[in-house]
Amino acid sequence: MPAQRPAPRVIEGSIIHLSSLADDDFPALFRAIGHPEVFQGGYGGGPASLPATEAEFIDFARNCYDRAANNVYGVWLNNGTMIGTSTLGDFDETRERAHIGWTAYSPSVWGTGVNPETKLLMLDEAFDAGFGRVKLQADALNSRSRAAIAKLGARFEGVVRRDQLRADGTWRDAAVYSVIVDEWPAVRAGLEARVAAFAG
């Protein structure tokens, strides 16, 4: 079937669920990710772009997340606590390409089953919608995010130099990874095993 942008919907997992990010979610998202250590790794343009107040974060969020073109999700623990955001976007239906990115979580859930299940649900959404390649990337200097992407089972493709302008005026290199549809069954099995270990 031809690739098609998935209709935004609530996606249920065993640890978390994803729902379309709404303006009303921005205060809770600020409480979750409005921390220096989140932006230190390059999120949102890097440390210089960290909003100091909730009001500043709301302005930042309205400009940062392109919800018209992309599926921007709030990530919620199943107890109702918002703990982050991630996006499935950059849809190229003709080439069957999509991109999972713009991901940030509360430091309180780093190293848990949250990221594996978020990516499991989003990759499943992309491949079910007919996409054949999903890109993931991180600031080349962000070793923590790069390790997390590699642990998902994504394959490292290389570094795109001088790829994005940071908020402080410097340029970042992007470390690019991908999962293609042929690899998805093995990657999915690995992610399901990791999630089950945390959920159990």
Side-chain angles (χ1 to χ4, degrees):
M1 80 174 177
Q4 187 173 9
R5 175 185 175 181
R9 64 187 184 92
V10 175
I11 309 174
E12 301 282 353
S14 60
I15 300 170
I16 58 97
H17 64 272
L18 309 175
S19 61
S20 296
L21 188 67
D23 286 7
D24 290 347
D25 299 327
F26 291 157
L29 185 60
F30 176 61
R31 291 191 294 274
I33 70 170
H35 305 284
E37 55 266 46
V38 173
F39 283 73
Q40 186 64 39
Y43 186 74
S49 63
L50 172 63
T53 67
E54 181 181 292
E56 289 177 8
F57 181 84
I58 290 171
D59 287 338
F60 162 86
R62 286 180 176 144
N63 292 313
C64 180
Y65 306 118
D66 185 354
R67 292 174 287 172
N70 301 316
N71 291 9
V72 183
Y73 297 105
V75 183
W76 303 79
L77 293 176
N78 285 338
N79 67 8
T81 303
M82 184 173 217
I83 41 86
T85 182
S86 193
T87 294
L88 176 61
D90 284 350
F91 299 109
D92 183 337
E93 288 88 350
T94 302
R95 295 183 178 184
E96 298 181 354
R97 298 177 181 176
H99 175 191
I100 292 176
W102 304 274
T103 301
Y105 306 112
S106 166
S108 66
V109 300
W110 290 0
T112 70
V114 166
N115 188 53
E117 184 159 58
T118 299
K119 297 307 192 292
L120 171 64
L121 297 176
M122 294 176 74
L123 285 164
D124 205 40
E125 193 81 344
F127 291 122
D128 279 353
F131 290 92
R133 177 180 183 273
V134 179
K135 179 179 76 171
L136 302 99
Q137 67 183 28
D139 189 317
L141 298 178
N142 189 339
S143 57
R144 184 187 60 79
S145 288
R146 292 185 63 177
I149 293 171
K151 194 172 182 180
L152 296 171
R155 182 173 297 187
F156 177 59
E157 295 184 338
V159 174
V160 179
R161 298 181 297 163
R162 206 174 190 269
D163 182 58
Q164 293 184 32
L165 186 65
R166 298 185 180 100
D168 65 3
T170 63
W171 286 88
R172 87 169 206 177
D173 298 339
V176 179
Y177 300 75
S178 69
V179 179
I180 63 173
V181 66
D182 310 80
E183 301 161 344
W184 176 228
V187 171
R188 179 172 53 198
L191 291 172
E192 287 173 343
R194 288 180 62 195
V195 171
F198 282 104

